Amino acid sequence: MAEVLGLGITHYPMLAAKDPFMANLMKMVLKDPDIPAERKDPANWSALAQEEWSDDQGTAAAGRHRKALLSGLSTCREALDEFKPDVVIVWGDDQYENFREEVIPSFCILAYPDTEIDPFGVLQVMSLPNAWNLPDGQSFVMRGDQAFAKKVAKDVLANGVDVAYSYEPRPNIHHFPHAFANTQIFLDFENVGRKFPYPIVPMAVNCYGEHVIARRGGIAPFSEILKGEDLDPPGPSPKRCFEFGQAVGKSLRDSDKRVALVASASWSHAFLNDKDWHLRPDTEADRALYDSMVAGDFDDWTSKTVTDIVAAGQHEMLNWFCLLGAVKELGLTLDWSEFVETEVLNSNKTFAIYR
């Protein structure tokens, strides 16, 4: 049986930018003319939101948020290096990057060889400088393990979960899916540009479901939302994501490798939380699931529906459902976790280590 380590982290794109730009998503939302003015008035925000926004539009709060996120990432990287994995499996979402109108698989194992990736594609789309002052067009290599990926895909299919597989990215892809690219650079934050020592097998999850094409994996203005969107079919259910994780866990029982499993995602996203006008994440929903995670209450997690997840803006948390499925299957236990709360920096972030 494989030896397995479980990690939960964030791939928050704005962490790759400088502090003055970290609240740019909030600044974009505040320009939406269809959001009621009283909702956009900071005087009507929560105490935490007012503290974070302050008189510098979130810049000082960004520095504090960065410190907390880098601390969580450092703790996870230390655990990874201590474990010395042969391969790292990463569950991440594809936000209209690799998969588009041609096909949207519920799950897809990216059985890629070593692949050149552009880690700053999202920042370039937003015309933002990166935190390391590296030149645009910078590329790094993501090492792959194609034979292992194919073996896991075969096993998952045999275990009753229909998973797609891919041997190469879509032609003319604008940038490599940032859920995976950012996972590599964030776990190697202090050494970006050097060779990351562990091969990665990305497992793409259609977290955005009904919004993946409709909103192109991003922010929709309320002018479009209020008039009625042409939504896509839903993504996989939380329970099915949990079962996908279980199927991967079953595959690892027959492996002789040391495998690190990573759920890469922030939790509720403000720009997906329509009921709160994209002004804050659904912290209450996040806290409830965090408490259940700490308590090991997997039944509470698998009782959630697609509607529950979408209503809370927790789309990307489906990656964590995959991790917890594997955790349950393999009997791993929570060794450490941290919940990082924010109101104006788009999303709450959670870190976790399972052993």
Side-chain angles (χ1 to χ4, degrees):
M1 176 179 172
E3 295 186 61
V4 180
L5 174 75
L7 300 175
I9 66 168
T10 178
H11 60 253
Y12 178 48
M14 307 310 289
L15 181 60
K18 299 176 185 294
D19 289 353
F21 307 105
M22 201 181 284
N24 270 25
L25 291 172
M26 174 64 90
K27 295 171 189 176
M28 290 173 59
V29 168
L30 292 177
K31 294 177 182 177
D32 190 329
D34 293 293
I35 297 176
E38 64 273 15
R39 293 278 190 162
K40 292 189 289 186
D41 184 352
N44 296 323
W45 295 357
S46 71
L48 176 58
Q50 291 184 44
E51 177 189 350
E52 289 184 322
W53 191 245
S54 189
D55 58 0
D56 62 0
Q57 297 188 331
T59 298
R64 297 191 296 271
H65 199 61
R66 180 184 302 277
K67 183 178 180 181
L69 299 189
L70 292 183
S71 176
L73 288 165
S74 177
T75 299
C76 290
R77 177 59 193 267
E78 288 173 6
L80 192 67
D81 287 341
E82 179 185 346
F83 182 69
K84 295 182 176 62
D86 298 313
V87 63
V88 179
I89 288 174
V90 178
W91 283 289
D93 45 283
D94 188 297
Q95 287 178 239
Y96 197 70
E97 294 161 307
N98 195 14
F99 301 119
R100 293 194 168 187
E101 283 82 354
E102 298 95 334
V103 63
I104 301 290
S106 291
F107 308 116
C108 187
I109 295 176
L110 308 186
Y112 293 170
D114 293 358
T115 304
E116 189 172 296
I117 63 171
D118 174 1
F120 305 135
V122 174
L123 297 186
Q124 290 170 34
V125 169
M126 302 176 74
S127 300
L128 297 180
N130 65 76
W132 301 271
N133 294 315
L134 291 169
D136 289 344
Q138 180 77 38
S139 65
F140 303 142
V141 172
M142 178 176 287
R143 295 174 55 206
D145 188 334
Q146 200 166 39
F148 176 76
K150 291 170 69 174
K151 171 65 166 55
V152 173
K154 179 180 178 181
D155 292 343
V156 168
L157 287 163
N159 286 326
V161 177
D162 293 329
V163 63
Y165 56 87
S166 172
Y167 295 151
E168 61 183 32
R170 180 175 55 85
N172 303 315
I173 184 173
H174 185 71
H175 59 258
F176 198 83
H178 71 274
F180 306 118
N182 285 3
T183 294
Q184 176 165 315
I185 65 173
F186 287 179
L187 284 172
D188 211 27
F189 205 94
E190 301 301 324
N191 301 304
V192 164
R194 302 180 191 176
K195 186 176 181 180
F196 187 66
Y198 311 116
I200 291 177
V201 173
M203 295 193 176
V205 180
N206 177 22
C207 294
Y208 275 67
E210 64 183 37
H211 295 137
V212 66
I213 303 298
R215 299 188 184 181
R216 294 175 173 83
I219 300 175
F222 272 94
S223 60
E224 294 182 7
I225 295 171
L226 295 173
K227 73 180 181 183
E229 299 176 274
D230 182 14
L231 297 176
D232 306 306
S237 70
K239 184 178 180 181
R240 192 56 170 166
C241 291
F242 195 89
E243 291 168 347
F244 179 33
Q246 288 180 298
V248 171
K250 290 176 182 176
S251 172
L252 298 185
R253 285 210 176 92
D254 298 327
S255 172
D256 59 359
K257 289 183 178 290
R258 298 176 64 81
V259 183
L261 303 173
V262 179
S264 181
S266 301
W267 286 25
S268 176
H269 284 48
F271 74 77
L272 293 168
N273 184 17
D274 295 353
K275 67 181 181 300
D276 287 316
W277 297 97
H278 298 174
L279 292 167
R280 63 183 297 271
D282 189 337
T283 300
E284 296 76 17
D286 280 355
R287 281 286 184 185
L289 279 177
Y290 181 74
D291 290 345
S292 294
M293 183 185 80
V294 171
D297 186 355
F298 299 125
D299 289 340
D300 184 45
W301 276 59
T302 56
S303 71
K304 302 304 176 187
T305 65
V306 171
T307 300
D308 294 331
I309 294 299
V310 170
Q314 294 172 323
H315 304 48
E316 296 189 20
M317 282 189 68
L318 292 181
N319 298 311
W320 282 71
F321 281 82
C322 296
L323 172 66
L324 291 195
V327 160
K328 181 178 182 182
E329 185 66 33
L330 295 169
L332 305 183
T333 57
L334 183 63
D335 182 63
W336 169 84
S337 65
E338 182 97 23
F339 185 87
V340 181
E341 183 176 339
T342 182
E343 285 275 298
V344 306
L345 297 169
N346 187 58
S347 55
N348 298 309
K349 287 85 175 174
T350 302
F351 298 92
I353 298 175
Y354 283 90
R355 302 184 189 275

